[in-house]
């Protein structure tokens, strides 16, 4: 799971994206305001902040650096561009692979006991 957080004046916004199952979610002050499945290289979410101002998230992978980038716009003005490097993506994938291996070994062990 990859997470991008940003503080506006009174709002904490967060975009969470799973790089394995394609689920993306946007939270404003802990409340989910957008959710979608995305298996492509980019996506976009448009939400409203507590103040009623529109906020847009653009999520994509830079093909040159392989970094995951989240651009946040408020009232169609770029506020910030947050990046997570290849290392974060690799750590997330390794953790998921480890969990799958443990589950598979446990399942095989249970079948052998029966």
């Amino acid at each position: 799971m990859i997470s991008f957080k940003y503080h506006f004046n009174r709002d904490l916004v967060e975009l969470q994206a799973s790089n394995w199952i394609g689920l993306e979610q946007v939270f404003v002050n802990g409340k989910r305001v957008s959710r979608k499945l995305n298996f492509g290289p980019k996506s976009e979410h448009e939400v409203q902040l507590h103040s009623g101002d529109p906020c847009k998230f653009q999520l994509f992978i830079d093909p040159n650096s392989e970094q995951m980038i989240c651009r946040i716009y408020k009232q169609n003005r770029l506020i910030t561009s947050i990046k997570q490097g290849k290392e974060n993506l690799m750590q997330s994938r390794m953790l998921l692979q480890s969990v799958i291996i443990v589950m598979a070994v446990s399942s095989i062990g249970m079948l052998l006991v029966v």
Side-chain angles (χ1 to χ4, degrees), residues 64-107:
N64 297 324
S65 66
E66 295 185 22
Q67 288 185 318
M68 178 78 70
I69 299 173
C70 178
R71 289 186 180 151
I72 302 175
Y73 295 83
K74 183 178 176 184
Q75 296 179 332
N76 291 323
R77 195 179 95 232
L78 180 63
I79 301 298
T80 189
S81 183
I82 307 169
K83 300 176 184 178
Q84 287 195 22
K86 187 176 179 180
E87 302 83 33
N88 292 345
L89 294 173
M90 295 303 289
Q91 286 176 353
S92 174
R93 288 179 181 160
M94 299 249 327
L95 177 63
L96 182 60
Q97 288 172 350
S98 298
V99 168
I100 290 171
I101 289 170
V102 167
M103 289 174 44
V105 169
S106 297
S107 297

Side-chain angles (χ1 to χ4, degrees), residues 4-114:
F4 296 95
K5 294 181 182 180
Y6 189 78
H7 284 273
F8 287 104
N9 293 335
R10 294 177 53 201
D11 296 314
L12 170 64
V13 294
E14 178 179 9
L15 184 139
Q16 295 177 351
S18 169
N19 54 338
W20 283 95
I21 62 171
L23 179 63
E24 297 176 357
Q25 301 181 97
V26 177
F27 297 87
V28 175
N29 300 323
K31 181 182 176 189
R32 186 175 59 205
V33 294
S34 179
R35 180 174 86 170
K36 69 165 89 171
L37 287 176
N38 175 42
F39 295 101
K42 61 183 177 179
S43 72
E44 192 171 288
H45 295 262
E46 293 189 28
V47 301
Q48 275 193 325
L49 299 176
H50 179 73
S51 64
D53 292 331
C55 181
K56 180 169 61 173
F57 293 82
Q58 289 181 336
L59 186 64
F60 62 96
I61 297 175
D62 180 357
N64 297 324
S65 66
E66 295 185 22
Q67 288 185 318
M68 178 78 70
I69 299 173
C70 178
R71 289 186 180 151
I72 302 175
Y73 295 83
K74 183 178 176 184
Q75 296 179 332
N76 291 323
R77 195 179 95 232
L78 180 63
I79 301 298
T80 189
S81 183
I82 307 169
K83 300 176 184 178
Q84 287 195 22
K86 187 176 179 180
E87 302 83 33
N88 292 345
L89 294 173
M90 295 303 289
Q91 286 176 353
S92 174
R93 288 179 181 160
M94 299 249 327
L95 177 63
L96 182 60
Q97 288 172 350
S98 298
V99 168
I100 290 171
I101 289 170
V102 167
M103 289 174 44
V105 169
S106 297
S107 297
I108 291 171
M110 290 179 73
L111 288 173
L112 293 176
V113 171
V114 176

